[in-house]
Amino acid sequence: MQDLNERFYNFALKIVFLVRKLPRGVATYEIGRQLVRAGTSIAANYEEARGAFSKEDFIYKISIAFKEARETNLWLRLMRDSKIINGNNVNNLINESEEIRNILGTSLKTARNKNKQC
């Protein structure tokens, strides 16, 4: 199984490559900017969570990564549904963002439950 750190990094890289290929336009620029910010933030916050100073810090960073995964999914769907971009590439990224969101959601839930037990 692929290391999560590597998986999230590769997802961020794919987001950057996607946005670099987008057609020019006001809507595309704004959505692309938001997508890059949210899509790369997942990996950054997961990396920070790995180096957390406490359980609370870990939970906080994972919760940010989870929220960013949700937001990334929204921007990808908006690009697809507004016909800014189409094809399997964006659908694959949407599916990956959903899987990442689910992984982070489960991790967050587990960490919160363990933290309550202490």
Side-chain angles (χ1 to χ4, degrees):
M1 186 166 133
Q2 185 181 21
D3 174 66
L4 288 179
N5 198 41
E6 183 180 333
R7 183 175 182 176
F8 298 161
Y9 176 84
N10 287 333
F11 179 74
L13 193 58
K14 289 175 186 175
I15 293 292
V16 170
F17 289 148
L18 173 74
V19 171
R20 287 174 63 188
K21 294 178 182 177
L22 291 175
R24 295 189 184 265
V26 174
T28 304
Y29 172 78
E30 290 299 325
I31 295 170
R33 189 174 63 82
Q34 293 289 342
L35 177 60
V36 165
R37 187 195 55 73
T40 58
S41 181
I42 298 165
N45 280 289
Y46 183 76
E47 183 66 31
E48 287 188 31
R50 291 180 55 185
F53 295 115
S54 65
K55 290 177 186 176
E56 291 80 13
D57 189 32
F58 176 83
I59 291 169
Y60 177 70
K61 297 298 184 187
I62 289 293
S63 69
I64 293 172
F66 173 72
K67 289 177 183 181
E68 296 294 346
R70 291 177 54 93
E71 183 179 342
T72 299
N73 181 267
L74 173 122
W75 295 122
L76 287 167
R77 288 183 295 116
L78 188 59
M79 280 190 165
R80 180 197 61 200
D81 296 344
S82 66
K83 309 273 192 269
I84 288 173
I85 193 165
N86 56 29
N88 286 336
N89 190 27
V90 73
N91 288 327
N92 290 340
L93 288 172
I94 289 169
N95 291 337
E96 179 68 359
S97 72
E98 290 168 353
E99 287 182 24
I100 289 171
R101 180 193 62 209
N102 292 340
I103 290 167
L104 291 168
T106 300
S107 179
L108 182 59
K109 186 176 180 178
T110 300
R112 283 180 175 160
N113 287 339
K114 284 185 179 180
N115 200 35
K116 287 180 186 177
Q117 294 172 357
C118 293

